[in-house]
Amino acid sequence: MGPENSSIYIENEKVGESLILTRSGFPELEKKPTKTIRVEKDGFSPESAEIESSFSLWFWGNILLLPAAPIGFITDYFLGYHKTYRPSAVVLNKLKENPSFKIQNKSASHEKFNQRVTQDKDKNISVSYGNLINVRLTKADESGKEIPGSEFKFAGLPTTNQEAEITSGRYLIQGTFEGDAYTAKARIRYTAKVPGQVIIDVPGGGVGVFCGTYDFEKKGTGIRFLHINEEDTTVFQGLLPRFDFLRRIALSNCKDVFNPQDLKK
């Protein structure tokens, strides 16, 4: 994860923009066990971190499934569960201001990334929300105004993190932050006193989650969008409840989403 309007790279190949990840991970033909993840944002010095991959011993646990073992091996391989990563997640939000730095967005890596985004623009995307209550999602016009009669109803899961399928485009999302913090003895639930809303240009394909954050600058709710559009969102479409396991991955990252002004702290 990186800040808004930033570019994310793995070994100099652009794989995402800010909270949008596309085809993240380690190419199978690449045997290098350690890779560098870098985030660039105009006006800030780049920040990087290293992540190491290794073969997961849990992968061989599928042998205990006996006749179903081949299905377990194939499923885990395509979902990437045959690999383990250290650290398992990277959040780069400590960028230092550098007014002279500009992203080189005319590179071959950027062009390749943009082509992938263009190819997926007409695909539907399955969306849900996390750390938010009283959520309302509507289409918005070019100026950001709500289009009357365009509200989407979330449904499909037996929890508050419900699901809706929408097309790519501009949307107005409204809601109030509600999240949990844990101590040694108790779980504490925090609810923002002030709701928030934001206009988000939603890309096509895969799954997306609207993550609620607590905006300390505005003393209320911030909302950021997390998008996962990897190959397994289509490999298992129609075979497994893809929105379930992919959304669980996305929802688990909502707790790490930060507001733009958090870069200044």
Side-chain angles (χ1 to χ4, degrees):
M1 291 185 179
E4 286 188 315
N5 302 318
S6 64
S7 291
I8 301 175
Y9 306 83
I10 296 180
E11 293 291 286
N12 296 318
E13 179 181 354
K14 183 175 179 179
V15 295
E17 291 180 341
S18 56
L19 298 181
I20 299 174
L21 302 181
T22 300
R23 295 185 64 194
S24 61
F26 285 44
E28 284 302 313
L29 296 178
E30 180 68 64
K31 303 302 182 182
K32 185 179 179 181
T34 302
K35 290 201 171 187
T36 300
I37 297 177
R38 187 176 77 259
V39 165
E40 293 184 355
K41 178 178 173 66
D42 288 345
F44 292 83
S45 295
E47 183 185 358
S48 62
E50 288 193 343
I51 186 169
E52 180 180 322
S53 70
S54 59
F55 204 85
S56 174
L57 295 178
W58 288 105
F59 180 67
W60 298 111
N62 286 297
I63 200 68
L64 300 177
L65 298 176
L66 300 177
I71 297 176
F73 281 120
I74 293 172
T75 302
D76 283 354
Y77 179 81
F78 276 103
L79 291 179
Y81 294 156
H82 64 297
K83 290 287 189 71
T84 184
Y85 303 95
R86 292 186 299 273
S88 59
V90 176
V91 179
L92 299 175
N93 64 344
K94 304 297 183 184
L95 281 68
K96 296 180 180 179
E97 290 191 50
N98 181 359
S100 64
F101 181 81
K102 298 292 182 183
I103 295 176
Q104 302 298 316
N105 54 18
K106 299 296 183 181
S107 67
S109 177
H110 277 250
E111 291 297 329
K112 181 179 178 181
F113 175 82
N114 291 337
Q115 289 175 6
R116 171 65 187 271
V117 173
T118 301
Q119 290 173 359
D120 292 342
K121 67 181 180 64
D122 295 327
K123 296 180 181 178
N124 286 352
I125 177 173
S126 181
V127 296
S128 62
Y129 56 87
N131 292 349
L132 286 171
I133 58 174
N134 303 324
V135 176
R136 186 170 181 268
L137 177 67
T138 63
K139 285 187 175 180
D141 60 23
E142 290 299 319
S143 65
K145 293 183 179 179
E146 177 184 328
I147 297 177
S150 65
E151 183 175 354
F152 285 84
K153 298 296 183 182
F154 287 89
L157 293 175
T159 68
T160 56
N161 299 316
Q162 294 176 316
E163 175 261 347
E165 188 166 293
I166 63 177
T167 59
S168 62
R170 180 159 291 185
Y171 291 85
L172 171 66
I173 177 80
Q174 301 166 303
T176 301
F177 170 79
E178 185 173 83
D180 295 330
Y182 295 87
T183 67
K185 297 182 178 180
R187 182 183 73 173
I188 303 171
R189 173 154 291 181
Y190 294 92
T191 302
K193 293 183 178 180
V194 181
Q197 67 176 40
V198 66
I199 302 295
I200 295 178
D201 290 318
V202 175
V207 300
V209 175
F210 298 100
C211 294
T213 66
Y214 187 74
D215 191 324
F216 288 96
E217 187 174 84
K218 298 179 180 178
K219 307 299 182 185
T221 302
I223 302 175
R224 296 290 171 262
F225 184 70
L226 175 61
H227 180 216
I228 295 183
N229 186 15
E230 299 186 15
E231 292 179 356
D232 44 290
T233 63
T234 56
V235 168
F236 286 90
Q237 188 171 4
L239 299 178
L240 292 172
R242 69 183 180 91
F243 65 86
D244 188 17
F245 57 73
L246 287 168
R247 186 165 295 107
R248 287 177 184 274
I249 294 172
L251 286 168
S252 68
N253 285 286
C254 272
K255 66 182 185 303
D256 293 322
V257 176
F258 50 89
N259 296 296
Q261 61 268 19
D262 293 339
L263 285 172
K264 302 174 183 178
K265 293 182 173 59

